[in-house]
mmCIF file with all atom_site columns, all heavy atoms in Angstrom:
data_model
loop_
_atom_site.group_PDB
_atom_site.id
_atom_site.type_symbol
_atom_site.label_atom_id
_atom_site.label_alt_id
_atom_site.label_comp_id
_atom_site.label_asym_id
_atom_site.label_entity_id
_atom_site.label_seq_id
_atom_site.pdbx_PDB_ins_code
_atom_site.Cartn_x
_atom_site.Cartn_y
_atom_site.Cartn_z
_atom_site.occupancy
_atom_site.B_iso_or_equiv
_atom_site.pdbx_formal_charge
_atom_site.auth_seq_id
_atom_site.auth_comp_id
_atom_site.auth_asym_id
_atom_site.auth_atom_id
_atom_site.pdbx_PDB_model_num
ATOM 1   N N   . TRP A 1 30 ? -31.031 -66.702 11.661 1.00 0.00 ? 908  TRP A N   1
ATOM 2   C CA  . TRP A 1 30 ? -31.152 -67.522 12.866 1.00 0.00 ? 908  TRP A CA  1
ATOM 3   C C   . TRP A 1 30 ? -31.250 -68.950 12.444 1.00 0.00 ? 908  TRP A C   1
ATOM 4   O O   . TRP A 1 30 ? -30.657 -69.870 12.984 1.00 0.00 ? 908  TRP A O   1
ATOM 5   C CB  . TRP A 1 30 ? -32.412 -67.152 13.657 1.00 0.00 ? 908  TRP A CB  1
ATOM 6   C CG  . TRP A 1 30 ? -32.575 -67.995 14.931 1.00 0.00 ? 908  TRP A CG  1
ATOM 7   C CD1 . TRP A 1 30 ? -31.925 -67.866 16.047 1.00 0.00 ? 908  TRP A CD1 1
ATOM 8   C CD2 . TRP A 1 30 ? -33.544 -69.000 15.102 1.00 0.00 ? 908  TRP A CD2 1
ATOM 9   N NE1 . TRP A 1 30 ? -32.249 -68.805 16.992 1.00 0.00 ? 908  TRP A NE1 1
ATOM 10  C CE2 . TRP A 1 30 ? -33.344 -69.470 16.515 1.00 0.00 ? 908  TRP A CE2 1
ATOM 11  C CE3 . TRP A 1 30 ? -34.563 -69.525 14.363 1.00 0.00 ? 908  TRP A CE3 1
ATOM 12  C CZ2 . TRP A 1 30 ? -34.104 -70.504 16.966 1.00 0.00 ? 908  TRP A CZ2 1
ATOM 13  C CZ3 . TRP A 1 30 ? -35.352 -70.582 14.921 1.00 0.00 ? 908  TRP A CZ3 1
ATOM 14  C CH2 . TRP A 1 30 ? -35.076 -71.034 16.176 1.00 0.00 ? 908  TRP A CH2 1
ATOM 15  N N   . GLN A 1 34 ? -28.959 -72.210 13.537 1.00 0.00 ? 912  GLN A N   1
ATOM 16  C CA  . GLN A 1 34 ? -29.538 -73.429 14.105 1.00 0.00 ? 912  GLN A CA  1
ATOM 17  C C   . GLN A 1 34 ? -29.053 -74.692 13.282 1.00 0.00 ? 912  GLN A C   1
ATOM 18  O O   . GLN A 1 34 ? -28.628 -75.712 13.827 1.00 0.00 ? 912  GLN A O   1
ATOM 19  C CB  . GLN A 1 34 ? -31.020 -73.349 14.157 1.00 0.00 ? 912  GLN A CB  1
ATOM 20  C CG  . GLN A 1 34 ? -31.580 -72.348 15.071 1.00 0.00 ? 912  GLN A CG  1
ATOM 21  C CD  . GLN A 1 34 ? -31.030 -72.486 16.517 1.00 0.00 ? 912  GLN A CD  1
ATOM 22  O OE1 . GLN A 1 34 ? -31.213 -73.495 17.132 1.00 0.00 ? 912  GLN A OE1 1
ATOM 23  N NE2 . GLN A 1 34 ? -30.384 -71.492 17.035 1.00 0.00 ? 912  GLN A NE2 1
ATOM 24  N N   . GLN A 1 48 ? -23.221 -66.464 17.604 1.00 0.00 ? 926  GLN A N   1
ATOM 25  C CA  . GLN A 1 48 ? -24.115 -66.410 16.403 1.00 0.00 ? 926  GLN A CA  1
ATOM 26  C C   . GLN A 1 48 ? -24.010 -65.198 15.651 1.00 0.00 ? 926  GLN A C   1
ATOM 27  O O   . GLN A 1 48 ? -24.300 -65.147 14.486 1.00 0.00 ? 926  GLN A O   1
ATOM 28  C CB  . GLN A 1 48 ? -25.537 -66.715 16.956 1.00 0.00 ? 926  GLN A CB  1
ATOM 29  C CG  . GLN A 1 48 ? -25.686 -68.080 17.602 1.00 0.00 ? 926  GLN A CG  1
ATOM 30  C CD  . GLN A 1 48 ? -27.038 -68.170 18.373 1.00 0.00 ? 926  GLN A CD  1
ATOM 31  O OE1 . GLN A 1 48 ? -27.922 -67.341 18.227 1.00 0.00 ? 926  GLN A OE1 1
ATOM 32  N NE2 . GLN A 1 48 ? -27.152 -69.284 19.153 1.00 0.00 ? 926  GLN A NE2 1
ATOM 33  N N   . GLY A 1 49 ? -23.635 -64.066 16.459 1.00 0.00 ? 927  GLY A N   1
ATOM 34  C CA  . GLY A 1 49 ? -23.568 -62.748 15.648 1.00 0.00 ? 927  GLY A CA  1
ATOM 35  C C   . GLY A 1 49 ? -22.580 -62.705 14.568 1.00 0.00 ? 927  GLY A C   1
ATOM 36  O O   . GLY A 1 49 ? -22.735 -62.015 13.597 1.00 0.00 ? 927  GLY A O   1
ATOM 37  N N   . TYR A 1 52 ? -23.525 -62.808 10.777 1.00 0.00 ? 930  TYR A N   1
ATOM 38  C CA  . TYR A 1 52 ? -24.024 -61.700 9.961  1.00 0.00 ? 930  TYR A CA  1
ATOM 39  C C   . TYR A 1 52 ? -22.966 -60.998 9.122  1.00 0.00 ? 930  TYR A C   1
ATOM 40  O O   . TYR A 1 52 ? -23.197 -60.716 7.979  1.00 0.00 ? 930  TYR A O   1
ATOM 41  C CB  . TYR A 1 52 ? -24.840 -60.739 10.848 1.00 0.00 ? 930  TYR A CB  1
ATOM 42  C CG  . TYR A 1 52 ? -26.152 -61.458 11.269 1.00 0.00 ? 930  TYR A CG  1
ATOM 43  C CD1 . TYR A 1 52 ? -26.214 -62.155 12.485 1.00 0.00 ? 930  TYR A CD1 1
ATOM 44  C CD2 . TYR A 1 52 ? -27.242 -61.533 10.442 1.00 0.00 ? 930  TYR A CD2 1
ATOM 45  C CE1 . TYR A 1 52 ? -27.375 -62.860 12.863 1.00 0.00 ? 930  TYR A CE1 1
ATOM 46  C CE2 . TYR A 1 52 ? -28.418 -62.148 10.735 1.00 0.00 ? 930  TYR A CE2 1
ATOM 47  C CZ  . TYR A 1 52 ? -28.495 -62.821 11.977 1.00 0.00 ? 930  TYR A CZ  1
ATOM 48  O OH  . TYR A 1 52 ? -29.647 -63.531 12.327 1.00 0.00 ? 930  TYR A OH  1
ATOM 49  N N   . GLN A 1 56 ? -22.980 -60.704 5.130  1.00 0.00 ? 934  GLN A N   1
ATOM 50  C CA  . GLN A 1 56 ? -22.766 -59.494 4.380  1.00 0.00 ? 934  GLN A CA  1
ATOM 51  C C   . GLN A 1 56 ? -21.664 -59.558 3.403  1.00 0.00 ? 934  GLN A C   1
ATOM 52  O O   . GLN A 1 56 ? -21.710 -59.084 2.245  1.00 0.00 ? 934  GLN A O   1
ATOM 53  C CB  . GLN A 1 56 ? -22.451 -58.323 5.367  1.00 0.00 ? 934  GLN A CB  1
ATOM 54  C CG  . GLN A 1 56 ? -22.301 -56.995 4.736  1.00 0.00 ? 934  GLN A CG  1
ATOM 55  C CD  . GLN A 1 56 ? -21.948 -55.900 5.742  1.00 0.00 ? 934  GLN A CD  1
ATOM 56  O OE1 . GLN A 1 56 ? -22.951 -55.149 6.117  1.00 0.00 ? 934  GLN A OE1 1
ATOM 57  N NE2 . GLN A 1 56 ? -20.714 -55.836 6.164  1.00 0.00 ? 934  GLN A NE2 1
ATOM 58  N N   . LYS A 1 60 ? -21.891 -59.299 -0.682 1.00 0.00 ? 938  LYS A N   1
ATOM 59  C CA  . LYS A 1 60 ? -20.988 -58.286 -1.371 1.00 0.00 ? 938  LYS A CA  1
ATOM 60  C C   . LYS A 1 60 ? -20.243 -59.001 -2.488 1.00 0.00 ? 938  LYS A C   1
ATOM 61  O O   . LYS A 1 60 ? -20.063 -58.421 -3.545 1.00 0.00 ? 938  LYS A O   1
ATOM 62  C CB  . LYS A 1 60 ? -20.017 -57.685 -0.465 1.00 0.00 ? 938  LYS A CB  1
ATOM 63  C CG  . LYS A 1 60 ? -20.043 -56.175 -0.576 1.00 0.00 ? 938  LYS A CG  1
ATOM 64  C CD  . LYS A 1 60 ? -19.170 -55.536 0.527  1.00 0.00 ? 938  LYS A CD  1
ATOM 65  C CE  . LYS A 1 60 ? -18.912 -54.084 0.187  1.00 0.00 ? 938  LYS A CE  1
ATOM 66  N NZ  . LYS A 1 60 ? -18.023 -53.399 1.171  1.00 0.00 ? 938  LYS A NZ  1
ATOM 67  N N   . ARG A 1 76 ? -41.664 -61.004 10.053 1.00 0.00 ? 954  ARG A N   1
ATOM 68  C CA  . ARG A 1 76 ? -40.778 -60.518 8.954  1.00 0.00 ? 954  ARG A CA  1
ATOM 69  C C   . ARG A 1 76 ? -39.336 -60.887 9.175  1.00 0.00 ? 954  ARG A C   1
ATOM 70  O O   . ARG A 1 76 ? -38.874 -60.719 10.264 1.00 0.00 ? 954  ARG A O   1
ATOM 71  C CB  . ARG A 1 76 ? -40.861 -58.921 8.858  1.00 0.00 ? 954  ARG A CB  1
ATOM 72  C CG  . ARG A 1 76 ? -40.664 -58.422 7.512  1.00 0.00 ? 954  ARG A CG  1
ATOM 73  C CD  . ARG A 1 76 ? -41.121 -56.958 7.567  1.00 0.00 ? 954  ARG A CD  1
ATOM 74  N NE  . ARG A 1 76 ? -39.953 -56.108 7.715  1.00 0.00 ? 954  ARG A NE  1
ATOM 75  C CZ  . ARG A 1 76 ? -39.435 -55.483 6.609  1.00 0.00 ? 954  ARG A CZ  1
ATOM 76  N NH1 . ARG A 1 76 ? -39.872 -55.700 5.380  1.00 0.00 ? 954  ARG A NH1 1
ATOM 77  N NH2 . ARG A 1 76 ? -38.381 -54.661 6.754  1.00 0.00 ? 954  ARG A NH2 1
ATOM 78  N N   . TYR A 1 80 ? -31.897 -65.544 3.012  1.00 0.00 ? 958  TYR A N   1
ATOM 79  C CA  . TYR A 1 80 ? -30.662 -65.501 2.168  1.00 0.00 ? 958  TYR A CA  1
ATOM 80  C C   . TYR A 1 80 ? -30.795 -66.717 1.222  1.00 0.00 ? 958  TYR A C   1
ATOM 81  O O   . TYR A 1 80 ? -31.360 -67.731 1.624  1.00 0.00 ? 958  TYR A O   1
ATOM 82  C CB  . TYR A 1 80 ? -29.391 -65.622 3.003  1.00 0.00 ? 958  TYR A CB  1
ATOM 83  C CG  . TYR A 1 80 ? -29.176 -64.322 3.780  1.00 0.00 ? 958  TYR A CG  1
ATOM 84  C CD1 . TYR A 1 80 ? -29.771 -64.189 5.019  1.00 0.00 ? 958  TYR A CD1 1
ATOM 85  C CD2 . TYR A 1 80 ? -28.388 -63.302 3.234  1.00 0.00 ? 958  TYR A CD2 1
ATOM 86  C CE1 . TYR A 1 80 ? -29.592 -62.964 5.746  1.00 0.00 ? 958  TYR A CE1 1
ATOM 87  C CE2 . TYR A 1 80 ? -28.223 -62.170 3.973  1.00 0.00 ? 958  TYR A CE2 1
ATOM 88  C CZ  . TYR A 1 80 ? -28.781 -62.111 5.254  1.00 0.00 ? 958  TYR A CZ  1
ATOM 89  O OH  . TYR A 1 80 ? -28.603 -60.885 5.992  1.00 0.00 ? 958  TYR A OH  1
ATOM 90  N N   . GLU B 2 25 ? -33.046 -54.733 12.591 1.00 0.00 ? 1446 GLU B N   1
ATOM 91  C CA  . GLU B 2 25 ? -34.231 -55.592 12.501 1.00 0.00 ? 1446 GLU B CA  1
ATOM 92  C C   . GLU B 2 25 ? -33.749 -57.090 12.438 1.00 0.00 ? 1446 GLU B C   1
ATOM 93  O O   . GLU B 2 25 ? -34.404 -57.988 13.123 1.00 0.00 ? 1446 GLU B O   1
ATOM 94  C CB  . GLU B 2 25 ? -35.041 -55.220 11.239 1.00 0.00 ? 1446 GLU B CB  1
ATOM 95  C CG  . GLU B 2 25 ? -36.388 -56.015 11.250 1.00 0.00 ? 1446 GLU B CG  1
ATOM 96  C CD  . GLU B 2 25 ? -37.294 -55.550 10.191 1.00 0.00 ? 1446 GLU B CD  1
ATOM 97  O OE1 . GLU B 2 25 ? -36.973 -54.610 9.539  1.00 0.00 ? 1446 GLU B OE1 1
ATOM 98  O OE2 . GLU B 2 25 ? -38.368 -56.253 9.978  1.00 0.00 ? 1446 GLU B OE2 1
ATOM 99  N N   . GLU B 2 26 ? -32.695 -57.273 11.683 1.00 0.00 ? 1447 GLU B N   1
ATOM 100 C CA  . GLU B 2 26 ? -32.217 -58.758 11.567 1.00 0.00 ? 1447 GLU B CA  1
ATOM 101 C C   . GLU B 2 26 ? -31.720 -59.276 12.897 1.00 0.00 ? 1447 GLU B C   1
ATOM 102 O O   . GLU B 2 26 ? -32.058 -60.381 13.335 1.00 0.00 ? 1447 GLU B O   1
ATOM 103 C CB  . GLU B 2 26 ? -31.137 -58.710 10.500 1.00 0.00 ? 1447 GLU B CB  1
ATOM 104 C CG  . GLU B 2 26 ? -31.398 -59.704 9.404  1.00 0.00 ? 1447 GLU B CG  1
ATOM 105 C CD  . GLU B 2 26 ? -30.273 -59.824 8.453  1.00 0.00 ? 1447 GLU B CD  1
ATOM 106 O OE1 . GLU B 2 26 ? -29.564 -58.776 8.103  1.00 0.00 ? 1447 GLU B OE1 1
ATOM 107 O OE2 . GLU B 2 26 ? -29.999 -60.929 7.912  1.00 0.00 ? 1447 GLU B OE2 1
ATOM 108 N N   . HIS B 2 30 ? -33.249 -62.265 15.155 1.00 0.00 ? 1451 HIS B N   1
ATOM 109 C CA  . HIS B 2 30 ? -32.438 -63.393 15.576 1.00 0.00 ? 1451 HIS B CA  1
ATOM 110 C C   . HIS B 2 30 ? -32.601 -63.602 17.104 1.00 0.00 ? 1451 HIS B C   1
ATOM 111 O O   . HIS B 2 30 ? -32.826 -64.692 17.609 1.00 0.00 ? 1451 HIS B O   1
ATOM 112 C CB  . HIS B 2 30 ? -30.951 -63.144 15.260 1.00 0.00 ? 1451 HIS B CB  1
ATOM 113 C CG  . HIS B 2 30 ? -30.077 -64.248 15.486 1.00 0.00 ? 1451 HIS B CG  1
ATOM 114 N ND1 . HIS B 2 30 ? -29.497 -64.996 14.494 1.00 0.00 ? 1451 HIS B ND1 1
ATOM 115 C CD2 . HIS B 2 30 ? -29.662 -64.842 16.625 1.00 0.00 ? 1451 HIS B CD2 1
ATOM 116 C CE1 . HIS B 2 30 ? -28.815 -65.915 15.049 1.00 0.00 ? 1451 HIS B CE1 1
ATOM 117 N NE2 . HIS B 2 30 ? -28.890 -65.857 16.335 1.00 0.00 ? 1451 HIS B NE2 1
ATOM 118 N N   . GLU B 2 34 ? -34.135 -66.791 19.090 1.00 0.00 ? 1455 GLU B N   1
ATOM 119 C CA  . GLU B 2 34 ? -33.292 -67.598 20.039 1.00 0.00 ? 1455 GLU B CA  1
ATOM 120 C C   . GLU B 2 34 ? -33.872 -67.583 21.466 1.00 0.00 ? 1455 GLU B C   1
ATOM 121 O O   . GLU B 2 34 ? -33.912 -68.567 22.180 1.00 0.00 ? 1455 GLU B O   1
ATOM 122 C CB  . GLU B 2 34 ? -31.843 -67.001 20.049 1.00 0.00 ? 1455 GLU B CB  1
ATOM 123 C CG  . GLU B 2 34 ? -30.815 -67.727 20.887 1.00 0.00 ? 1455 GLU B CG  1
ATOM 124 C CD  . GLU B 2 34 ? -30.566 -69.118 20.256 1.00 0.00 ? 1455 GLU B CD  1
ATOM 125 O OE1 . GLU B 2 34 ? -30.894 -69.394 19.115 1.00 0.00 ? 1455 GLU B OE1 1
ATOM 126 O OE2 . GLU B 2 34 ? -29.876 -69.903 21.060 1.00 0.00 ? 1455 GLU B OE2 1
ATOM 127 N N   . ALA B 2 56 ? -25.272 -65.744 23.642 1.00 0.00 ? 1477 ALA B N   1
ATOM 128 C CA  . ALA B 2 56 ? -24.915 -66.609 22.457 1.00 0.00 ? 1477 ALA B CA  1
ATOM 129 C C   . ALA B 2 56 ? -24.646 -65.792 21.197 1.00 0.00 ? 1477 ALA B C   1
ATOM 130 O O   . ALA B 2 56 ? -23.771 -66.163 20.380 1.00 0.00 ? 1477 ALA B O   1
ATOM 131 C CB  . ALA B 2 56 ? -26.071 -67.548 22.269 1.00 0.00 ? 1477 ALA B CB  1
ATOM 132 N N   . PHE B 2 57 ? -25.312 -64.666 21.081 1.00 0.00 ? 1478 PHE B N   1
ATOM 133 C CA  . PHE B 2 57 ? -25.116 -63.809 19.933 1.00 0.00 ? 1478 PHE B CA  1
ATOM 134 C C   . PHE B 2 57 ? -23.747 -63.123 19.945 1.00 0.00 ? 1478 PHE B C   1
ATOM 135 O O   . PHE B 2 57 ? -23.074 -62.979 18.871 1.00 0.00 ? 1478 PHE B O   1
ATOM 136 C CB  . PHE B 2 57 ? -26.167 -62.682 19.838 1.00 0.00 ? 1478 PHE B CB  1
ATOM 137 C CG  . PHE B 2 57 ? -26.251 -62.004 18.584 1.00 0.00 ? 1478 PHE B CG  1
ATOM 138 C CD1 . PHE B 2 57 ? -27.132 -62.570 17.516 1.00 0.00 ? 1478 PHE B CD1 1
ATOM 139 C CD2 . PHE B 2 57 ? -25.486 -60.905 18.184 1.00 0.00 ? 1478 PHE B CD2 1
ATOM 140 C CE1 . PHE B 2 57 ? -27.221 -61.911 16.290 1.00 0.00 ? 1478 PHE B CE1 1
ATOM 141 C CE2 . PHE B 2 57 ? -25.639 -60.240 17.008 1.00 0.00 ? 1478 PHE B CE2 1
ATOM 142 C CZ  . PHE B 2 57 ? -26.451 -60.807 16.119 1.00 0.00 ? 1478 PHE B CZ  1
ATOM 143 N N   . MET B 2 67 ? -20.027 -54.998 10.695 1.00 0.00 ? 1488 MET B N   1
ATOM 144 C CA  . MET B 2 67 ? -20.717 -54.870 9.492  1.00 0.00 ? 1488 MET B CA  1
ATOM 145 C C   . MET B 2 67 ? -20.593 -53.428 8.904  1.00 0.00 ? 1488 MET B C   1
ATOM 146 O O   . MET B 2 67 ? -20.451 -53.231 7.647  1.00 0.00 ? 1488 MET B O   1
ATOM 147 C CB  . MET B 2 67 ? -22.236 -55.177 9.662  1.00 0.00 ? 1488 MET B CB  1
ATOM 148 C CG  . MET B 2 67 ? -22.413 -56.720 9.877  1.00 0.00 ? 1488 MET B CG  1
ATOM 149 S SD  . MET B 2 67 ? -24.042 -57.195 10.175 1.00 0.00 ? 1488 MET B SD  1
ATOM 150 C CE  . MET B 2 67 ? -24.731 -57.016 8.595  1.00 0.00 ? 1488 MET B CE  1
ATOM 151 N N   . GLY B 2 70 ? -17.580 -53.375 7.099  1.00 0.00 ? 1491 GLY B N   1
ATOM 152 C CA  . GLY B 2 70 ? -17.744 -54.120 5.841  1.00 0.00 ? 1491 GLY B CA  1
ATOM 153 C C   . GLY B 2 70 ? -18.393 -53.255 4.734  1.00 0.00 ? 1491 GLY B C   1
ATOM 154 O O   . GLY B 2 70 ? -18.167 -53.358 3.576  1.00 0.00 ? 1491 GLY B O   1
#
Side-chain angles (χ1 to χ4, degrees):
Chain A
W908 181 73
Q912 295 304 306
Q926 295 166 11
Y930 291 92
Q934 180 180 261
K938 227 174 171 180
R954 208 166 99 98
Y958 293 85
Chain B
E1446 189 174 350
E1447 235 183 326
H1451 186 112
E1455 184 67 13
F1478 194 88
M1488 288 178 75

